[in-house]
Amino acid sequence: MLNGFKSFIMKGNVIDLAVAVIMGAAFGGVVDALVKSVLMPAISVLIGQHDFNNFLVVGPVKFGVLLTAIVNFLLIAASIYFVIIVPMNKMIEHRNRKLGIKEKSAETPVDPQIALLTEIRDALKARDREL
């Protein structure tokens, strides 16, 4: 039982996942600081309020709190995309060009054996569904 646990823990994907969770938590602080200390104050200059919490209050129902959460989510998503994803994709493209790696295009011909095996698999799945 302990050997099984040890082999589970020592698998590379478990370690990779643990590192990703820790890095994600740490990076969450950076993104949160960017949104709360840079982007939202910039928006508050435009709208005259720090957030939308007091916008569209109907009795105890505060639609502005939801609006603030939506704006924060969109700002976080945009921050991650423009600060992380776009530069990372550019670096990968640059590296691939430097190494001479070309992306697979949709026009790449499919090996006839792979196409035949795919047809057989699909036919077997269809037959199993009929039974």
Side-chain angles (χ1 to χ4, degrees), residues 61-125:
V61 179
K62 298 179 179 182
F63 291 103
V65 174
L66 176 61
L67 183 60
T68 298
I70 291 170
V71 168
N72 283 342
F73 171 77
L74 293 174
L75 289 173
I76 289 169
S79 300
I80 290 172
Y81 180 75
F82 290 112
V83 174
I84 300 299
I85 302 299
V86 170
M88 186 63 71
N89 287 342
K90 296 273 187 202
M91 287 180 1
I92 290 170
E93 287 174 18
H94 178 67
R95 183 202 64 193
N96 288 347
R97 275 195 311 271
K98 192 174 181 180
L99 295 175
I101 299 172
K102 295 182 181 178
E103 274 190 43
K104 280 188 175 181
S105 65
E107 300 168 7
T108 304
V110 176
D111 183 359
Q113 292 177 346
I114 299 296
L116 179 61
L117 289 171
T118 303
E119 288 177 23
I120 292 170
R121 180 200 63 202
D122 294 343
L124 288 172
K125 283 183 180 179

Side-chain angles (χ1 to χ4, degrees), residues 12-22:
N13 56 353
V14 173
I15 302 298
D16 291 343
L17 180 61
V19 169
V21 168
I22 293 166

Side-chain angles (χ1 to χ4, degrees), residues 2-19:
L2 291 177
N3 286 335
F5 178 72
K6 180 182 174 186
S7 68
F8 170 73
I9 291 298
M10 296 309 289
K11 284 184 182 177
N13 56 353
V14 173
I15 302 298
D16 291 343
L17 180 61
V19 169

Side-chain angles (χ1 to χ4, degrees), residues 23-66:
M23 291 300 293
F27 189 69
V30 173
V31 172
D32 193 45
L34 175 66
V35 170
K36 287 184 179 175
S37 300
V38 176
L39 299 176
M40 278 308 282
I43 290 174
S44 71
V45 169
L46 298 174
I47 65 169
Q49 294 180 353
H50 182 67
D51 55 31
F52 301 105
N53 290 345
N54 295 322
F55 178 74
L56 195 58
V57 176
V58 180
V61 179
K62 298 179 179 182
F63 291 103
V65 174
L66 176 61

